[in-house]
Amino acid sequence: MWVKKRSFYVTAIIFIFAVAIAVVFSLCTQPETKTPPTVTPGEKLEKLTLRWGSSKEGTAGYAIFFGVAKIISEKVPELYIEAVPTAGSIASQRMYAKGELDGCYAGLWNLVDVYQNRGPYEKEPWPKDRPKPYHTWYVYTADSFVVTRADRDDIQSWEDLRGKKVYIPIPGSAVYEVPKAAFKAAGIWDDIEVVDIPFSAVPDALRSGTIDAAVPYVISHSSPAPWVKELATRADIKVVNPTQEQIDAIKKAKIKGMSTSWVSTKETFPEKDVGTDKIFMVSTYYGFHTGKNVPSEYIYRMVKTLIENAEEVSKTHAVAKLYAKDPLKLQIEAIDSAPDIPVHPGTAKYLKERGVWKDEWKIGEE
């Protein structure tokens, strides 16, 4: 009898000890939640270190933000940014949502995903206990348009894409979803056949007629993706623009996270004749964003520094040249294309200071 009791006590002690270890391990492996410093207006700021997601190594987003982190460390001594490489916009947002980052790299299209629980967030919405990223700072655009083979007289506008095979790159990404939304608004999405092939196969597929058209993308109007450069070199192409009726329909749709523009062909293809002087582009915006976890005064100083030192930002990567031309305009266009998303209070303070704030915009909670 005594042996049984002893065995019971030993088993109970081991069980309690195991549970205690599990609880301690669970607490230790939770992402650290920082308590942001309390900031009183006019008070000297404490030194704040932020882990901020960038994009993949070798990309424009990666190069820009590592350069930006250096600019901030030199000009805003109370703020240190540790630029953290991530797999891209969605991956960076996911890490921010888990508390692994203090700020994220994100395309505006994906910010709209967060707020509308669509796309990657349809089945796995943003955690209710984590701050959502606000409009904070934008630095470049991703711009899509349509091309076909130069001798395709049967394709003169988007209207002629009905019944045709069209290559749109990277399903699920913004450079797929943005032109898809534009094609839907133009009334042709259900009448085209979307083809998915490797980048390297696009020039030969277009030349042979395996595909009838393609949707290339460039960054900030003038920096083609590598596969687009190859396409322009290996195939004789022409740009295909929508009809005015289709343009009107796209603008009327007011697609959140997307804007439209006419861009000079010389800006995109300076040494190639693509059959038109202007290209109709559908675009979204990319930048670096955070939420109420970072006090407004730090973001105010960061945004002020990056806008007022736009020339230095432009030296971080060629795609930031468009930003340098008018950095305020880029912020305004991005916010205007998704005005339901709150603006970070620090960004809002600076935009008000510059006299460009709009009453219809929203300021995020502190």
Side-chain angles (χ1 to χ4, degrees), residues 99-327:
E100 297 171 1
L101 297 171
D102 303 305
C104 60
Y105 162 75
L108 178 54
W109 190 263
N110 299 136
L111 286 187
V112 177
D113 287 340
V114 169
Y115 282 83
Q116 293 189 352
N117 289 330
R118 72 178 187 189
Y121 301 99
E122 185 176 359
K123 294 182 179 179
E124 190 179 346
W126 194 268
K128 292 182 179 180
D129 61 341
R130 288 291 302 162
K132 290 181 179 180
Y134 299 144
H135 290 296
T136 305
W137 178 67
Y138 292 94
V139 66
Y140 65 85
T141 62
D143 318 292
S144 299
F145 54 100
V146 178
V147 300
T148 188
R149 209 172 61 218
D151 63 354
R152 291 292 299 263
D153 294 334
D154 59 322
I155 303 178
Q156 299 293 331
S157 73
W158 286 16
E159 186 64 26
D160 299 322
L161 297 178
R162 295 182 189 277
K164 303 294 194 298
K165 295 178 180 179
V166 182
Y167 169 70
I168 309 176
I170 322 177
S173 71
V175 293
Y176 181 95
E177 296 296 334
V178 170
K180 175 183 175 180
F183 286 161
K184 280 188 172 183
I188 62 170
W189 176 254
D190 292 335
D191 296 325
I192 65 175
E193 180 182 345
V194 177
V195 178
D196 186 18
I197 56 177
F199 288 151
S200 59
V202 176
D204 288 338
L206 194 63
R207 287 189 301 181
S208 67
T210 304
I211 60 173
D212 300 295
V215 182
Y217 62 89
V218 295
I219 306 299
S220 295
H221 301 172
S222 61
S223 296
W227 73 271
V228 179
K229 288 182 180 179
E230 184 179 3
L231 172 63
T233 300
R234 291 176 51 197
D236 192 11
I237 59 173
K238 70 177 181 181
V239 168
V240 179
N241 290 320
T243 65
Q244 186 58 53
E245 184 179 355
Q246 289 172 329
I247 293 171
D248 292 342
I250 293 168
K251 291 182 177 180
K252 185 178 180 180
K254 295 183 179 179
I255 300 165
K256 287 183 171 60
M258 188 192 89
S259 67
T260 64
S261 60
W262 285 100
V263 177
S264 169
T265 301
K266 291 181 180 179
E267 197 173 343
T268 308
F269 297 107
E271 299 177 358
K272 189 174 183 68
D273 179 7
V274 291
T276 182
D277 294 332
K278 290 184 179 181
I279 305 172
F280 182 82
M281 295 186 176
V282 291
S283 308
T284 192
Y285 301 82
Y286 281 80
F288 300 87
H289 309 285
T290 190
K292 64 181 180 181
N293 56 298
V294 181
S296 61
E297 188 61 25
Y298 290 95
I299 296 303
Y300 164 76
R301 296 187 188 190
M302 183 188 89
V303 171
K304 176 182 173 69
T305 298
L306 295 177
I307 288 180
E308 295 180 5
N309 293 273
E311 281 298 328
E312 285 193 48
V313 173
S314 73
K315 294 174 184 176
T316 62
H317 196 281
V319 303
K321 289 181 180 178
L322 179 67
Y323 170 83
K325 290 179 180 179
D326 197 339

Side-chain angles (χ1 to χ4, degrees), residues 24-35 51 94-102 127 129-131:
V24 171
F25 179 77
S26 174
L27 291 173
C28 290
T29 55
Q30 291 296 315
E32 180 184 358
T33 301
K34 293 182 181 178
T35 301
R51 281 174 51 82
R94 290 290 193 195
M95 291 174 70
Y96 175 69
K98 292 177 182 177
E100 297 171 1
L101 297 171
D102 303 305
D129 61 341
R130 288 291 302 162

Side-chain angles (χ1 to χ4, degrees), residues 346-358:
T347 303
K349 177 182 175 180
Y350 182 71
L351 296 178
K352 286 182 177 182
E353 189 177 275
R354 292 297 301 270
V356 297
W357 181 261
K358 297 184 180 182

